[in-house]
Amino acid sequence: MKAQALHGHLDALLLAVLEQGALHGYAIIEALRARSDGSLDLPTGTIYPALRRLERAGHVASTWSTVSGRERRTYQLTDSGRRALAGERAGWREFQLTVGRFLDPGSPPTPA
Amino acid sequence: MKAQALHGHLDALLLAVLEQGALHGYAIIEALRARSDGSLDLPTGTIYPALRRLERAGHVASTWSTVSGRERRTYQLTDSGRRALAGERAGWREFQLTVGRFLDPGSPPTPA
DNA sequence: CTTCATACGTAGCTACGCTACTTGTCGAAC
DNA sequence: GTTCGACAAGTAGCGTAGCTACGTATGAAG
């Protein structure tokens, strides 16, 4: 799918992925790809800065570790992040309904 | 709703509104507000440039007219615009499904 | 005669995802 | 023993596109 359409919803996706458990950046990319059947294949230049944003905002916390010689920064959801995710879910629902009213088939196009 | 979340979907909304009949810019703003129950209240600085974009792309065509002393630029969908709208609808559907898989309740969060 | 709704428009800002790049380890292939 | 691809992190700079804040002008209402 057109990737840039994500605008404004990426944070929500990241929080949602981390909701199921802490992951490091590279694993997050793979999780997004897997759970979307390949539709979401985001470059590192997209998700790493996004994760830093979320950390600055206090929605995730990170810890470094070394696994078989490779450095990993593992991110986990904070309480603030969980609240933010709830808000994002509500926002998504409203967005979906609003846009769907125009783009979903069978929407009210001057109903008969 | 958070307005900037529209990023990438505004063109689709405009085409969808014009699908029901030609309208001038100001009327498009009101149509969006009405059909969304006030959720979409877009400033002129958003929709006028967007309409110019769509016209440059050949998806709409405009004609000037004067109604009770006021200049109006009325936009109507072209064939190209109708095709574009169909594409946007398909894109929206995919986007909705993909993001929904992460944000809709009851999505597969490592299903039991 | 001032204010508000109608109607058009642009300049400049900002947010944010993307492209392209760099650095480094490890295992497998050759 | 070197090269190549998967793993793992990161930044600089770009482009897109919606938003803020203006500016202009008419007609109706008070």
Side-chain angles (χ1 to χ4, degrees), chain B residues 3-4 7-8 10 43 45-46 53 68-70:
Chain B
Q4 66 270 36
H7 238 287
L10 176 60
T46 290
R53 261 206 321 272
S68 64
R70 290 200 192 86

Side-chain angles (χ1 to χ4, degrees), chain B residues 3-14:
Chain B
Q4 66 270 36
L6 266 134
H7 238 287
H9 303 283
L10 176 60
D11 289 6
L13 292 182
L14 293 175

Side-chain angles (χ1 to χ4, degrees), chain A residues 98-99 101-103 108-110, chain B residues 9-36 40 42 47 51 54 60 75-77 81-82 85 89:
Chain A
T98 302
V99 177
R101 208 176 300 195
F102 293 89
L103 294 183
T110 345
Chain B
H9 303 283
L10 176 60
D11 289 6
L13 292 182
L14 293 175
L15 295 174
V17 168
L18 289 177
E19 192 186 23
Q20 306 178 226
L23 288 176
H24 62 281
Y26 195 86
I28 291 175
I29 295 177
E30 291 182 321
L32 286 167
R33 188 169 41 223
R35 281 227 314 206
S36 69
L40 289 174
L42 304 182
I47 79 106
L51 288 169
L54 289 174
V60 302
Y75 293 90
Q76 58 188 329
L77 225 51
R82 239 170 289 273
L85 177 55
R89 282 215 159 93

Side-chain angles (χ1 to χ4, degrees), chain A:
Chain A
M1 53 171 259
K2 287 217 313 252
Q4 66 272 36
L6 252 86
H7 238 288
H9 303 284
L10 176 61
D11 289 7
L13 291 183
L14 293 175
L15 295 174
V17 168
L18 289 176
E19 193 186 23
Q20 307 179 223
L23 288 175
H24 62 282
Y26 194 87
I28 290 174
I29 294 177
E30 292 183 319
L32 286 167
R33 187 168 40 223
R35 283 226 317 207
S36 68
D37 289 322
S39 301
L40 289 172
D41 198 358
L42 304 182
T44 66
T46 291
I47 79 105
Y48 287 128
L51 287 169
R52 316 292 242 103
R53 260 208 319 275
L54 289 174
E55 185 164 32
R56 265 204 313 278
H59 295 332
V60 300
S62 68
T63 49
W64 284 97
S65 60
T66 304
V67 175
S68 64
R70 291 198 192 88
E71 297 285 301
R72 278 185 181 173
R73 171 121 87 161
T74 300
Y75 292 90
Q76 57 188 329
L77 224 53
T78 62
D79 284 347
S80 160
R82 239 170 289 274
R83 282 191 298 274
L85 176 55
E88 296 279 7
R89 281 213 160 94
W92 165 249
R93 199 140 38 233
E94 192 189 352
F95 175 76
Q96 198 177 7
L97 286 173
T98 302
V99 177
R101 208 176 300 195
F102 293 89
L103 294 183
D104 284 343
S107 313
T110 345

